[in-house]
Amino acid sequence: MTIDSHQHFWFYNPERDSWITEDMQRIRRDFLPADLEPVLKQNGIDGCVAVQADQSESETLFLLQMAEAYSFVKGVVGWVDLRAENLYERLEFFSQFEELKGFRHVVQGEPEDFMMRPEFIRGVRQLAAFDLTYDILIYPNQLKAALHLVRTVPEVSFIIDHLAKPYIKENKINTWSNYLTEIAKSPNVYCKVSGMVTEADWHNWKPDDFRPYLDVVFEQFGPERIAFGSDWPVCLVAAEYDQMKSIVEDYVKPWGEEVRQKVFGGNAVKFYSL
């Protein structure tokens, strides 16, 4: 199975989706499974994982509805308040849905130390009881906190979204690379090669811009813990789906077919139990 490990669906709401700014005009509309299905077919992708974009339980239920209605939506990464007093009950409720694979919080919008806070760590730790995963969405300045989290909660499986959004446009790599190297030492952490084009110069990026960052990820995580994700439709502000896919495809080509199959499906299936 070839899998896109990271994409989104939404009924566009300007108030709720205020993160979609003026310069992202192209994605200021509805994006639903019927829009994605032909794109996946054109690109030889069998299934996908739908990831939350809004911090609400209604978002989680909406994505679960999409997964129920469309068989190519193989898994859902939803949102739940991981700091809530009644978290265990909410996890019990959501664990009845077979397509629910894990949760995510938009930590990139939170203070630097957010993932080091006891109430957040306590919540993430509870995911282990339900065999649920956690997607780490951060900026490089939050990598120190991410390192603390993955070391503190070794019983939970983590996956880093979008390579932790390195500063590709500014060509900065060192601090990001150092922290990622440390994080990769924890065997419970995977990394998604996704969302790179939106961290580059949207209108003038070249495939070579991503190579130094992919080098670090592949060297540290190895082909066993890396999963391709398109970040569709967000990627459309900087690249078409096939362009995003070919950046990763061209990079892994010299590694051979076995590695390609892992990165484009096998690892996502394993991580999310698809």
Side-chain angles (χ1 to χ4, degrees):
M1 244 194 335
T2 52
I3 298 290
D4 178 344
S5 72
H6 198 106
Q7 49 73 216
H8 307 285
F9 299 124
W10 60 68
F11 285 107
Y12 177 62
N13 176 329
E15 213 168 287
R16 183 197 64 189
D17 305 322
S18 58
W19 62 274
I20 305 177
T21 49
E22 285 283 320
D23 55 348
M24 301 169 93
Q25 203 63 42
R26 188 173 175 192
I27 61 169
R28 284 184 154 187
R29 65 171 183 85
D30 299 349
F31 285 94
L32 296 165
D35 301 301
L36 180 60
E37 192 168 20
V39 177
L40 293 184
K41 280 187 176 146
Q42 283 158 20
N43 285 278
I45 305 279
D46 301 317
C48 63
V49 176
V51 180
Q52 64 84 223
D54 178 51
Q55 315 241 65
S56 66
E57 287 197 5
S58 59
E59 166 85 339
T60 309
L61 293 167
F62 160 68
L63 294 178
L64 288 167
Q65 282 174 339
M66 298 298 103
E68 205 176 321
Y70 294 86
S71 61
F72 72 88
V73 183
K74 304 289 183 192
V76 165
V77 175
W79 183 88
V80 70
D81 186 355
L82 291 162
R83 297 163 294 169
E85 290 294 323
N86 67 336
L87 175 63
Y88 195 85
E89 288 79 16
R90 299 316 297 144
L91 294 178
E92 272 188 321
F93 167 75
F94 281 117
S95 66
Q96 71 180 293
F97 298 98
E98 201 186 324
E99 286 87 4
L100 185 84
K101 304 301 178 182
F103 288 100
R104 181 176 89 153
H105 186 89
V106 183
V107 176
Q108 66 177 36
E110 302 285 1
E112 261 185 51
D113 68 342
F114 182 81
M115 287 186 295
M116 296 167 116
R117 295 178 182 178
E119 66 275 19
F120 184 73
I121 290 173
R122 195 165 52 243
V124 171
R125 184 170 273 128
Q126 290 189 52
L127 298 177
F130 297 91
D131 212 13
L132 292 165
T133 63
Y134 182 78
D135 269 56
I136 297 175
L137 176 65
I138 51 170
Y139 288 127
N141 66 321
Q142 297 167 313
L143 279 164
K144 184 181 178 182
L147 178 60
H148 176 77
L149 177 67
V150 302
R151 282 177 172 171
T152 308
V153 195
E155 63 269 38
V156 169
S157 295
F158 296 95
I159 193 160
I160 296 172
D161 293 345
H162 316 326
L163 291 73
K165 298 200 160 189
Y167 304 121
I168 297 170
K169 193 177 178 182
E170 290 82 12
N171 203 20
K172 289 181 183 172
I173 196 165
N174 291 348
T175 308
W176 167 84
S177 167
N178 293 342
Y179 273 116
L180 213 66
T181 299
E182 287 307 306
I183 287 171
K185 288 176 184 172
S186 296
N188 56 321
V189 188
Y190 281 54
C191 187
K192 288 184 188 179
V193 284
S194 59
M196 296 177 288
V197 288
T198 44
E199 301 312 310
D201 181 332
W202 292 1
H203 308 293
N204 300 298
W205 62 264
K206 309 176 298 298
D208 281 351
D209 296 344
F210 310 107
R211 191 161 284 276
Y213 301 92
L214 289 168
D215 284 345
V216 171
V217 169
F218 273 81
E219 193 176 316
Q220 300 308 328
F221 286 90
E224 308 289 332
R225 290 189 287 147
I226 292 171
F228 162 75
S230 66
D231 197 25
W232 180 96
V234 184
C235 67
L236 298 176
V237 300
E240 296 302 325
Y241 192 103
D242 61 332
Q243 289 178 298
M244 180 62 220
K245 181 173 175 254
S246 65
I247 292 166
V248 182
E249 208 150 41
D250 292 346
Y251 183 85
V252 301
K253 201 170 272 176
W255 294 66
E257 182 58 22
E258 193 185 336
V259 167
R260 194 195 74 82
Q261 283 180 10
K262 284 176 181 170
V263 172
F264 280 91
N267 294 338
V269 169
K270 188 172 148 195
F271 181 81
Y272 286 120
S273 305
L274 301 180

